[in-house]
Amino acid sequence: MTPLDFLRTTEVARVLERASHCGAVPLSIHHVTCGDEGPPIVSFGDCAACRYVSNMPTGKRLCRTSRVEASAKAIELGKRTPFICPMGFACLAVPALPAGDAHFVLTAGPYC
């Protein structure tokens, strides 16, 4: 089973959904390669701050930029890396699984 197959299983989805609910925080996992990320593999939860930023003209780009920078740092360090989203809230990037030259990174937040 590849890391992508594993992340797409029903069991993993249930665990992440429960973690999002229990932690009251949005969670997502992105495939990150060469300093760029693909669309979310899985994503659970959202918040009013995220919806607000997404509706701003440059909001999605700003959010993605901060998330990609944090993901790259988390991969480089090999451990969870806190970062601040465009709204000033704390978020967390965690390298989840390596996939060859790429990685899957779990993003948690914003914590607000």
Side-chain angles (χ1 to χ4, degrees):
M1 177 180 292
T2 68
L4 180 59
D5 292 336
F6 172 74
L7 292 171
R8 287 185 170 161
T9 64
T10 304
E11 294 84 359
V12 170
R14 275 190 240 144
V15 168
L16 291 175
E17 184 175 26
R18 184 171 183 203
S20 174
H21 180 72
C22 291
V25 63
L27 293 176
S28 63
I29 295 182
H30 291 82
H31 183 257
V32 179
T33 184
C34 299
D36 200 8
E37 70 175 15
I41 306 301
V42 292
S43 183
F44 296 99
D46 69 344
C47 69
C50 292
R51 287 188 300 273
Y52 179 79
V53 169
S54 290
N55 288 323
M56 295 171 64
T58 60
K60 284 184 182 183
R61 182 178 49 79
L62 291 171
C63 181
R64 184 176 186 277
T65 299
S66 65
R67 190 175 58 245
V68 167
E69 288 173 2
S71 294
K73 192 62 161 176
I75 291 167
E76 176 188 328
L77 297 174
K79 62 182 181 179
R80 63 192 176 280
T81 303
F83 67 100
I84 305 298
C85 78
M87 291 293 289
F89 296 113
C91 298
L92 191 64
V94 182
L97 294 170
D101 292 338
H103 284 80
F104 292 99
V105 177
L106 181 137
T107 304
Y111 291 94
C112 54

